[in-house]
Amino acid sequence: MALDTSVPNQKVTIKAGTVLFPEGSAANSLNVLHSGALRYLVDGPSSRKLELFKISGANLTPGASALFGSGRYPFTIVAEQDCVLSTYVMSQSTVGRSLAARSSLGIMVGRSLLREITESFKKVNQLRKIASDMGKTNDNLSLLYYQFNPSVFPDIKPGQPIADPSSEIVDPVLRLARENLKHYFDNGGILPERPTANYVEEDHSQLLVKYYPEEIEFQDGEFNFVRKVILADPNLLAQLFAPDPSMVSYVCDKLGRVQNNITENAKSILEELDENFSLLLGGVESLTEKYFLILDMAASGYATAPPEFVVPILQVVSQKIERALAGHQALFGSAIPSPSPNIKPFIEKTASLAKKFEASNPTAKAASNGSGISVDGSADATAIRKELANSASTIIQFSGMGGDAIKEFSAMMVKLKSLKNPLDSDNDTRKLRRSITKTYFDIYAACFQKYVNSGKNVPKPVDLMLKYGFFDETMLDDSQLVFMSTFKDAITSVSDIPIHYGTEWLEKIYKRECPTSLDELGQNFFDKVKMDNRNAVFKKESDLPPDIDNPEARLKFEFGAMYEANVRLTTGSLATYLPILTKYHSQIPLGKAYVTKKMLTDTIHDIMAVDFSVFNREVIYNNPEMGINKEFVQRAIVPDFVIVPSIGSKIMMWQELSIHRGSGSKESRGRIVLPIFVQGDLKSLLIDAFAAFRWELCKTILGPEWNNVGNPSITADYMDYVQFYKKNKDLSIEIKEKLAAEFKRFRNERDIFANDYQLWIKYEAEGVQRLNRVVRGIFYRHIPFARTIREKVSKMPAFGEINNRFVNIRTRKFTELENRYKKYINALGSLPDPLRENMEFYRV
C-alpha cells in the first residue's frame, strides 16, 4: 500500500518493502527522508521493472521532480530499509512559493534532485551502452545471416540495387536484414570473404547509416551553471537567494525538469533494449532461431559456407546469447518473456559442434583462428616465417629500448597473445591494449628515427613495421606474411595527386618539405612551442632557436599530432583498436585490402569526374607585369593523401588547409589520411572524406559568414535547409516526417550532408533520384556535375528547371569575366593560364 500523503505535516515510519509512491500516481506532497534507504524503479515493456538507483541518508526529498513536471511520479519509489519520512502537502502550483519562502528547504530540494540526477545519469548511460552493443551485434548478425543463408534472399545480389523491404514482410529479422543490406551495399560495403568472429564486434554504422552511441547526449550549459550554484556553501547560497527568493525555486525547477528528462530517456532506451532482446532471443522469429537453422545445416554438412567459417561465428552467437540472458536477468531480475524455444539446444549443440570440428581438424584452429582460412604451408611461406623469426625481439632491440621497459612490454605482449581474441572489447583487454599501444609507438618513433639516419638500411621486421604495422610474426597467418614480405607497389608515373605512404610523409616533415600538421586540439608546431615556452617571446616561426625548431622536434610533433592519432582513427573501431597488425584484424585477404597509389589515384579521378570542383577554391591572382591586381580566380588545390600503417574502415579528413594563417594559407593543401589496408569500399570512404573536406573548407574560407544565408554557400544553404525543413513549402508532409527520422541517425549537420553527398555522387549523377528537390537544387548550384553529366541529366524533368537556372547564372558570370579580361589579352590573343582556367570553370 502506498504512503498516504493527505495527512498534513506528518512524520511517519515506513517498513522495508513498502511502496511509497507508485509510478504515474499524483504528486501532492513534498517529502523529506530523515533516515533509511529507497529504491527507484521504472516500468519497462511487458510489465518488467528496472531499478534505476538506490539512495540513502538524511535530508533528502525523494520524488520532488514530480512537482516540477507532469505532476505525477515518473518512477516507483520503494523503501529498501525501514525509513523515517516527513510529508508536507504541496502541489505544482504551490511548490515554487513554498521554496521561495524558505530558501533552506529549496537548497535541500536542489541538492537532493542533483543527487538523483547523478545516479540516474549513471544508470541511463549503462543502459545506453548495452542497447548500442546489442543493436550493433544484431545488425552485424543480420548481415552475416544473408551470407550464410542467401537462399532466403533470392532477389538480393551484391553490387545491385536493393528495393525497400515490402510491407508484407512481418518477420522482424528478415526485415532488419533487408534494410541493413540495402544501406550496406548502397554505401559501398563489402561482406568479408572469410567471415570472422571479429566482424560481429565491428562498428559498421557508417555503412548502415546508423548510430551506436555509448552515452546519452547531454549538453546543457544552463544545467551545468545551476549545478555549480547549488553545490556552493549553504551560507553563501542563503545570502545569494535572500534578495530574490524566486531564484531558489527556479534552480529546483530546472533540476526537476532535467531529472524528468533523464527518466524519460531511460524509458525510451528500455523500449530499444526490449526490441534488441526480442530480435536476438524472442520467440520463433529471432536471430537465435535463424542461426539455429544454420547450426543444423552446418552439423548435417549442408551449410553453404565451409565449417571453418561458420563454426567460429556460431560460437560467438552462442556467447552473445548467454551474455544477453545473464544481462536481462541482472537488469530486470527476471528471465526474458517468451524466449526462443531453441536457446538451450543452440548453446549445447554449438559447443558440441565446435569440439567435433576441432577434433577432426587439429590444424584448423591454428591455421584459421581469427582470419577464417586454411593455409597451405608452402616452402615460400616457411622460408619467410623463418626469415622473420623473433621479429618482436629484433624490432625492440633495434629501437634501443631500456632493459626494464623491454621486460614490462614483453610481459604485456605475452599476455596479449594468450588471449582468445586480442581485439575483444571487454575492459581488461582494452586496458592491456592501451598500455601496449603507448609503448609500441615509442618503439615505432625510435625505429623511424634510425631508419632516416641510416639511409633506410634497417632489418626487414623493422621495415615491415614502419610500412604495415607488423610486429610479431606469430600473430599473423602465412598468407599475410607472404604478402607483406613480397609485395611492392609499382610506381608507374608521376601522378597529379600527391600521395604519400606513412614513412614518405614523415620523411618530408623531417626534411621540412611540408609544414607540420595540426594536432587533435587544432594546434600547429609553432602554437605548441609557444604553449611550452610561455616565458619566451616568439612572434613567428623564424624566431625559434635551432635547439627548439629542428628536424627531430618537428618529426616528434608530427608523429604525436597527426600520425599516431590517425593510425588509431582510421581503424574506425576505437573499442577494438590495436596498432599491431594481427590475423584477427583482416576480414579479407591483405592483397585485396591493400591501397596502392595507382588504385587511390584512379578512385580519386573517378569521383572528380563527377564532382569536378571538389577541390576548388577562390584565390587571389596577381601579375603586376600585366597590370593584374587582385583578380579572384578558381583554383583546384588537391590535398595531400597520407597512407598510414593501419587496417580499418575510416578515411580521415584531417585538415582542409595545411597553413591556417598568413599569406598563402588559402592556397595550401589539405590533408586526408587513410589506412594502408582498407576494410570496405574505397570509393565510398573517399566520398565521405571529400564531403567533410568540402564542408570544412567552405567554413574556413568564409569564416563567420559560413552560416549566413545572405551570402549563399553550400554550408549556409544546407544548414538553412536542415534547420528549417519543417517550414519548407517545397517539401511534402511525408518527406518532412521521413527527414525527421533520418536526421536522428546522424551526429551533426556535416554527417547529414555527407550522406546526401554520397547519394549525389553515386545515384543522382546517374539520373537515379534519391534526394528531395530542395537538396537537389542546393547541390546543383554549389556542387555541379561535370559538363557531360549535366548534359545527360538536364533532359530529365527533375533537373530541367535547376539546370536552366544554373546555366543562366554561369553564363552571366562567364560574360562578365570575358568582358573584364579583354584588357589582359596579350599580342598573341591569349590570357594568362589562371585567368583562362577561371573562364573555363564558369563556361557552361
Side-chain angles (χ1 to χ4, degrees):
M1 182 176 177
L3 175 67
D4 180 9
T5 56
S6 62
V7 181
N9 302 341
Q10 63 175 327
K11 187 173 184 179
V12 293
T13 299
I14 307 296
K15 293 294 183 183
T18 303
V19 176
L20 279 72
F21 311 109
E23 182 175 333
S25 62
N28 53 21
S29 64
L30 180 67
N31 315 288
V32 179
L33 180 68
H34 300 293
S35 64
L38 302 172
R39 295 170 65 213
Y40 287 61
L41 310 170
V42 290
D43 292 338
S46 304
S47 302
R48 285 167 288 182
K49 288 190 179 294
L50 172 81
E51 182 181 294
L52 277 179
F53 57 88
K54 297 176 183 178
I55 60 171
S56 60
N59 299 325
L60 299 173
T61 56
S65 61
L67 295 170
F68 303 100
S70 65
R72 296 188 176 276
Y73 288 101
F75 31 60
T76 297
I77 302 179
V78 181
E80 174 76 2
Q81 304 169 358
D82 290 353
C83 300
V84 178
L85 201 76
S86 290
T87 67
Y88 304 93
V89 176
M90 210 167 291
S91 66
Q92 284 180 288
S93 59
T94 62
V95 65
R97 294 195 301 272
S98 299
L99 298 184
R102 188 178 168 193
S103 62
S104 59
L105 179 62
I107 294 170
M108 181 195 300
V109 171
R111 292 191 168 190
S112 184
L113 284 169
L114 186 59
R115 183 168 170 184
E116 290 180 358
I117 289 170
T118 303
E119 296 299 328
S120 296
F121 194 73
K122 291 178 186 175
K123 187 68 173 185
V124 173
N125 274 337
Q126 179 192 1
L127 295 174
R128 177 68 272 159
K129 188 175 189 315
I130 295 171
S132 293
D133 286 345
M134 287 195 70
K136 179 172 65 176
T137 295
N138 290 346
D139 286 334
N140 292 345
L141 290 179
S142 74
L143 295 172
L144 289 179
Y145 177 58
Y146 160 76
Q147 191 165 13
F148 288 148
N149 198 8
S151 60
V152 180
F153 309 88
D155 58 318
I156 294 180
K157 306 294 181 186
Q160 296 182 9
I162 300 175
D164 289 321
S166 167
S167 58
E168 297 176 0
I169 300 176
V170 295
D171 187 310
V173 172
L174 294 183
R175 173 169 284 277
L176 176 70
R178 285 181 170 275
E179 289 174 350
N180 284 339
L181 287 166
K182 176 177 174 54
H183 287 299
Y184 195 81
F185 290 144
D186 280 356
N187 290 314
I190 301 174
L191 289 171
E193 292 182 10
R194 309 176 300 179
T196 70
N198 190 46
Y199 186 85
V200 182
E201 306 289 349
E202 288 187 339
D203 187 336
H204 304 114
S205 56
Q206 282 195 315
L207 294 173
L208 296 173
V209 197
K210 293 195 175 182
Y211 182 34
Y212 306 120
E214 295 195 351
E215 294 183 350
I216 62 171
E217 294 183 4
F218 186 76
Q219 295 180 347
D220 189 332
E222 185 183 359
F223 165 74
N224 290 329
F225 174 75
V226 168
R227 179 179 64 84
K228 292 177 181 179
V229 169
I230 203 66
L231 290 175
D233 184 277
N235 294 325
L236 292 176
L237 287 180
Q239 296 177 34
L240 175 65
F241 296 145
D244 186 358
S246 65
M247 288 175 63
V248 68
S249 60
Y250 175 82
V251 167
C252 293
D253 178 69
K254 174 63 182 178
L255 294 172
R257 283 184 283 117
V258 169
Q259 167 64 355
N260 289 327
N261 287 339
I262 293 176
T263 305
E264 287 304 311
N265 213 321
K267 293 177 181 179
S268 173
I269 296 173
L270 280 177
E271 292 178 4
E272 182 183 340
L273 259 178
D274 182 61
E275 183 180 343
N276 287 334
F277 275 121
S278 180
L279 273 168
L280 182 62
L281 304 168
V284 296
E285 294 179 341
S286 64
L287 282 162
T288 296
E289 293 301 303
K290 298 292 189 289
Y291 274 85
F292 188 70
L293 294 175
I294 294 172
L295 173 61
D296 268 346
M297 289 190 291
S300 60
Y302 290 105
T304 55
E308 59 265 29
F309 295 175
V310 180
V311 173
I313 300 295
L314 292 172
Q315 287 179 287
V316 172
V317 176
S318 180
Q319 293 168 5
K320 294 289 184 183
I321 290 171
E322 291 186 281
R323 288 179 189 172
L325 291 170
H328 189 281
Q329 184 70 37
L331 283 174
F332 300 104
S334 63
I336 186 170
S338 305
S340 303
N342 286 305
I343 287 178
K344 188 175 180 181
F346 185 98
I347 295 170
E348 293 173 350
K349 200 168 183 178
T350 299
S352 174
L353 182 63
K355 287 181 181 178
K356 181 181 177 182
F357 174 66
E358 289 177 17
S360 61
N361 298 272
T363 61
K365 187 172 182 181
S368 66
N369 194 6
S371 58
I373 61 166
S374 298
V375 174
D376 177 17
S378 64
D380 284 345
T382 303
I384 288 171
R385 192 171 283 280
K386 185 176 180 181
E387 180 187 9
L388 296 174
N390 300 316
S391 288
S393 177
T394 301
I395 293 170
I396 291 171
Q397 294 297 330
F398 184 80
S399 73
M401 179 186 284
D404 292 340
I406 290 176
K407 289 181 182 178
E408 184 179 350
F409 183 69
S410 299
M412 289 191 291
M413 286 298 298
V414 168
K415 186 176 180 180
L416 183 78
K417 290 162 67 175
S418 70
L419 298 175
K420 188 175 181 180
N421 185 348
L423 303 184
D424 276 342
S425 57
D426 62 275
N427 286 336
D428 290 340
T429 307
R430 289 172 77 169
K431 288 179 183 177
L432 177 63
R433 288 200 300 267
R434 280 198 296 270
S435 300
I436 287 173
T437 297
K438 184 179 183 304
T439 308
Y440 168 81
F441 277 115
D442 291 340
I443 293 171
Y444 190 106
C447 286
F448 181 79
Q449 187 68 65
K450 289 189 174 183
Y451 169 87
V452 173
N453 294 340
S454 65
K456 306 179 184 178
N457 182 24
V458 296
K460 189 165 188 176
V462 174
D463 185 54
L464 296 183
M465 177 187 70
L466 297 176
K467 286 181 180 176
Y468 304 114
F470 165 84
F471 192 79
D472 189 323
E473 79 283 356
T474 65
M475 300 184 77
L476 294 158
D477 63 35
D478 285 358
S479 64
Q480 293 167 328
L481 292 175
V482 169
F483 172 80
M484 288 189 289
S485 295
T486 59
F487 179 81
K488 292 184 179 179
D489 187 358
I491 307 299
T492 52
S493 60
V494 177
S495 170
D496 59 334
I497 309 294
I499 301 172
H500 323 271
Y501 286 121
T503 51
E504 295 172 343
W505 178 256
L506 292 176
E507 197 172 352
K508 283 183 175 293
I509 297 296
Y510 186 77
K511 294 178 178 178
R512 300 192 71 154
E513 294 175 6
C514 292
T516 54
S517 303
L518 300 181
D519 64 14
E520 290 181 281
L521 298 177
Q523 295 178 315
N524 61 21
F525 175 71
F526 184 57
D527 295 331
K528 187 69 167 58
V529 168
K530 287 196 297 182
M531 284 288 292
D532 295 342
N533 299 270
R534 295 184 181 182
N535 294 329
V537 180
F538 301 131
K539 293 184 178 180
K540 52 186 184 297
E541 281 198 32
S542 58
D543 295 337
L544 300 179
D547 63 319
I548 292 178
D549 185 6
N550 52 59
E552 289 74 18
R554 286 180 170 267
L555 179 63
K556 182 180 179 181
F557 174 82
E558 183 71 8
F559 194 83
M562 187 281 279
Y563 202 78
E564 182 179 341
N566 278 289
V567 171
R568 179 180 79 254
L569 293 171
T570 52
T571 63
S573 180
L574 302 185
T576 60
Y577 168 60
L578 177 70
I580 295 171
L581 183 63
T582 74
K583 57 193 170 189
Y584 299 89
H585 282 91
S586 182
Q587 303 303 319
I588 55 179
L590 293 186
K592 292 188 176 181
Y594 185 83
V595 179
T596 66
K597 289 187 176 182
K598 183 179 186 307
M599 181 196 308
L600 182 55
T601 300
D602 291 345
T603 308
I604 294 169
H605 284 156
D606 283 347
I607 300 171
M608 293 177 70
V610 178
D611 181 6
F612 70 98
S613 62
V614 60
F615 300 127
N616 272 70
R617 68 200 67 172
E618 200 171 57
V619 299
I620 295 175
Y621 172 63
N622 292 308
N623 189 335
E625 294 179 1
M626 297 188 65
I628 301 173
N629 184 35
K630 291 188 177 180
E631 281 287 355
F632 287 94
V633 298
Q634 286 285 337
R635 184 179 167 196
I637 302 172
V638 182
D640 284 303
F641 289 83
V642 184
I643 306 175
V644 295
S646 71
I647 180 167
S649 58
K650 180 73 175 175
I651 294 179
M652 296 299 300
M653 196 295 293
W654 191 246
Q655 326 177 190
E656 68 283 2
L657 301 172
S658 55
I659 302 172
H660 278 260
R661 291 184 293 272
S663 61
S665 60
K666 290 184 179 180
E667 298 178 56
S668 63
R669 297 183 186 275
R671 279 167 199 184
I672 293 176
V673 189
L674 60 158
I676 197 165
F677 299 112
V678 167
Q679 303 287 289
D681 179 56
L682 178 62
K683 185 174 181 179
S684 296
L685 298 176
L686 277 173
I687 291 172
D688 264 343
F690 289 2
F693 179 84
R694 264 194 170 279
W695 188 268
E696 296 302 325
L697 182 65
C698 188
K699 286 179 67 176
T700 300
I701 296 292
L702 293 180
E705 292 291 300
W706 77 275
N707 196 16
N708 179 10
V709 290
N711 183 13
S713 66
I714 183 63
T715 51
D717 291 353
Y718 196 83
M719 284 291 290
D720 184 66
Y721 153 70
V722 171
Q723 291 174 349
F724 302 109
Y725 72 93
K726 291 181 179 179
K727 299 179 181 179
N728 198 313
K729 296 178 181 178
D730 292 328
L731 299 174
S732 66
I733 295 174
E734 292 78 12
I735 290 177
K736 290 176 183 178
E737 289 176 352
K738 184 179 179 181
L739 289 175
E742 230 11 67
F743 288 172
K744 291 179 181 178
R745 296 180 177 181
F746 301 98
R747 294 178 176 87
N748 50 47
E749 290 83 0
R750 193 182 86 174
D751 289 349
I752 301 173
F753 169 76
N755 181 66
D756 283 347
Y757 184 74
Q758 283 270 4
L759 301 176
W760 182 247
I761 299 297
K762 289 183 177 179
Y763 296 99
E764 296 277 335
E766 297 295 328
V768 180
Q769 296 173 34
R770 298 291 294 273
L771 299 173
N772 62 61
R773 60 183 300 183
V774 176
V775 175
R776 187 178 296 114
I778 295 171
F779 276 28
Y780 207 93
R781 178 179 184 182
H782 299 291
I783 311 176
F785 295 132
R787 188 176 302 153
T788 54
I789 297 176
R790 291 201 306 271
E791 290 172 353
K792 179 180 66 174
V793 300
S794 64
K795 300 172 185 177
M796 302 176 65
F799 291 90
E801 183 182 342
I802 55 177
N803 180 69
N804 290 337
R805 192 182 311 129
F806 174 82
V807 169
N808 291 337
I809 293 172
R810 286 295 176 106
T811 301
R812 284 199 302 270
K813 181 68 174 178
F814 182 84
T815 304
E816 175 194 329
L817 294 176
E818 191 175 35
N819 292 331
R820 192 163 76 242
Y821 290 173
K822 284 179 180 178
K823 57 187 175 183
Y824 302 135
I825 297 175
N826 63 19
L828 298 176
S830 62
L831 284 168
D833 286 344
L835 299 185
R836 179 181 51 78
E837 290 168 1
N838 192 47
M839 288 189 65
E840 284 300 314
F841 180 84
Y842 289 104
R843 187 188 297 276
V844 177

